[in-house]
Amino acid sequence: MPVPVDDLKLLLQSTRPEAKLVLVAGSYVVAGSAELATKALRGALPVVTREELLERVGGWPVTDKDLDEAAATLSSAVDNLGG
């Protein structure tokens, strides 16, 4: 399932503690550690944390090209995990 670049941008902009992009019920969601403990997100497939994404793209500043490349790599990983 393709990872939208806009969702990666939301992840980078998130102020949630320990923000992660997760896949749940066919949708990507940016959630913090407290939200991941809720019933609504139980069983969500973790895709990438904010810190991992920054590491993948080489830190700030992050370009659209960086995010396009990260989205393609993450999409392949999700597909391989059955997402």
Side-chain angles (χ1 to χ4, degrees):
M1 179 168 178
V3 174
V5 169
D6 287 342
D7 288 341
L8 295 180
K9 288 179 181 179
L10 288 174
L11 177 60
L12 290 174
Q13 295 167 357
S14 177
T15 58
R16 293 174 174 93
E18 300 174 24
K20 288 183 182 179
L21 183 66
V22 298
L23 178 60
V24 61
S27 297
Y28 289 101
V29 176
V30 174
S33 55
E35 295 163 300
L36 291 170
T38 65
K39 185 177 180 180
L41 294 180
R42 189 172 299 142
L45 175 69
V47 177
V48 68
T49 67
R50 185 176 186 274
E51 291 76 20
E52 290 167 344
L53 179 56
L54 282 170
E55 188 176 308
R56 281 179 180 267
V57 299
W60 297 105
V62 179
T63 66
D64 286 342
K65 181 179 183 227
D66 294 334
L67 292 177
D68 286 338
E69 291 172 1
T73 302
L74 291 167
S75 296
S76 293
V78 168
D79 289 344
N80 288 337
L81 292 173

